[in-house]
Amino acid sequence: MSTRLLRGLAAVAVMTAATLATAGTASAAPATLAPSTSAVIGSTAQLSPEVAGSAAGDGTDARQRALAAYWTPARMKAAKPDTEIPAVKAALASRGGAGGPATSATRPQGPSGSVAPAAPAVEPKANGPATASPDVSPQAYYPNYPVGHPVARTSGKVYFTLNGGNYVCSATVVNSEGKSEVWTAGHCLTGNRAWATNWTFVPNYNNGSAPYGYWYATQLWTTTAWFNNNNDFANDVGSAVMARSNGSRIADYLGGQGIAWNYPIGQYVYAFGYPAASPFNGEVLTAENGPTYNGGGNTIYMTNYMTGGSSGGGWLMSFDGNWGYLNGHNDFKYNTLPQYMYSPYYGNQVADLYNTVRNISS
């Protein structure tokens, strides 16, 4: 493990209990799901026409077989970083020219709230080893976690199809009552008012190895603000509900990191993700750590040299070396400030989205 990966502060206590939203499991037919608040929007996760046409039979098993057949090693390798998504490229180009953060102040929007991380009742068994890699630069480092480390198995690489192309992002398993939620950036779920298809999460991915298999989404959720405006990065948050694998819900099997909202800016965080754009190749979990700063316009930022493909990877505060609380994620950069990674400030929009999905179970 890198010597930079120091132990953080003791885990924060669970704060204000949030109102639970009632939501059902995914419908078999395409549908926009009824949210608990107009601030969020969701859809049943769909297959692209190509994949749907290859499915032999109906039901979850047929769907998962079709996705497993689609995401071949060659197709996964060819998937592009999320920064190549047309809607994201256009939005980042418009921001990059300005070369700096918004001037309006970012601050807590209400009472602080958090949900603690949770380890699984039984430690999961991995299928085969994953190979560790050395550091690639002094700014970003490979934590070299062994297979099964709590951060490694709750972090993962995301593959999806959007607007006719295949892309990669990062995501984190989050603890919830439904035990089925994975947290990521909204632009890894939707773009130009269209939902991604073929959405697949690979926990503990390493150099093509999938020691805990492939997990497939049944529902996709984001903020209404992001769905309607792909330049609104302050609301670029999202969650996917994952189907069971071998009868287990994902957080029951792997554990889930905590999540926190409306905390003061300046938390010391550990950022994780799978950067795929140069100088990285997206094959190994990568990390950065440092304090967060006020980015203006309801955003925060940290010194972070990760690139496209790391989007959606979690920023863990109160990190104890194994577990922490999501309080941001890799989201976007200004072209003239490549050393800084921005995240939406985790405020009321995160509380609304999390409270909508937290009871949904696969």
Side-chain angles (χ1 to χ4, degrees):
M1 181 182 299
S2 168
T3 56
R4 290 183 59 195
L5 196 62
L6 305 177
R7 295 180 67 87
L9 302 174
V12 297
V14 176
M15 303 297 290
T16 307
T19 302
L20 302 183
T22 302
T25 55
S27 164
T32 297
L33 303 171
S36 64
T37 168
S38 61
V40 303
I41 185 171
S43 172
T44 53
Q46 298 300 307
L47 305 178
S48 65
E50 175 187 358
V51 179
S54 71
D58 299 320
T60 301
D61 289 344
R63 170 192 175 87
Q64 296 194 1
R65 286 194 298 270
L67 281 169
Y70 179 75
W71 287 117
T72 62
R75 193 169 273 129
M76 293 167 71
K77 187 175 181 63
K80 299 177 181 179
D82 58 286
T83 43
E84 295 300 311
I85 298 171
V88 174
K89 286 184 71 173
L92 291 178
S94 68
R95 285 176 166 259
T103 57
S104 58
T106 299
R107 57 177 59 91
Q109 302 158 353
S112 297
S114 64
V115 174
V122 178
E123 288 293 300
K125 294 181 179 179
N127 297 320
T131 303
S133 298
D135 290 359
V136 294
S137 76
Q139 295 86 16
Y141 61 98
Y142 294 147
N144 295 331
Y145 290 127
V147 173
H149 183 282
V151 172
R153 70 175 189 246
T154 56
S155 300
K157 197 166 179 178
V158 172
Y159 295 89
F160 59 97
T161 303
L162 183 63
N163 302 133
N166 289 332
Y167 301 97
V168 292
C169 274
S170 303
T172 308
V173 184
V174 174
N175 184 33
S176 69
E177 290 81 355
K179 300 293 183 180
S180 303
E181 282 66 49
V182 167
W183 200 262
T184 189
H187 70 257
C188 302
L189 300 164
T190 179
N192 288 330
R193 297 177 62 87
W195 292 99
T197 59
N198 307 330
W199 211 91
T200 300
F201 176 67
V202 188
N204 215 146
Y205 178 93
N206 190 300
N207 284 306
S209 171
Y212 297 105
Y214 297 77
W215 299 71
Y216 306 109
T218 62
Q219 297 182 17
L220 306 178
W221 291 86
T222 190
T223 63
T224 304
W226 174 257
F227 185 82
N228 289 328
N229 179 9
N230 290 164
N231 201 26
D232 186 3
F233 285 96
N235 287 293
D236 185 14
V237 296
S239 180
V241 179
M242 310 309 297
R244 296 183 185 226
S245 179
N246 295 320
S248 295
R249 299 179 299 185
I250 192 166
D252 282 333
Y253 190 63
L254 298 175
Q257 298 292 341
I259 189 168
W261 54 86
N262 281 326
Y263 272 72
I265 297 168
Q267 302 293 327
Y268 196 92
V269 299
Y270 290 75
F272 299 96
Y274 286 87
S278 179
F280 305 95
N281 62 13
E283 292 299 304
V284 178
L285 184 67
T286 304
E288 296 266 11
N289 51 273
T292 61
Y293 301 94
N294 193 328
N298 291 322
T299 68
I300 58 176
Y301 71 94
M302 66 178 294
T303 300
N304 184 328
Y305 282 81
M306 287 192 237
T307 60
S310 70
S311 287
W315 295 6
L316 297 179
M317 75 174 200
S318 299
F319 180 56
D320 68 2
N322 292 297
W323 305 97
Y325 293 71
L326 277 175
N327 194 232
H329 62 260
N330 302 320
D331 201 76
F332 73 94
K333 290 187 169 185
Y334 294 97
N335 290 342
T336 55
L337 298 170
Q339 72 273 34
Y340 298 139
M341 180 74 76
Y342 284 75
S343 167
Y345 171 74
Y346 273 31
N348 289 346
Q349 89 286 35
V350 166
D352 288 339
L353 179 57
Y354 180 76
N355 287 334
T356 294
V357 302
R358 64 190 296 173
N359 276 343
I360 304 176
S361 182
S362 59

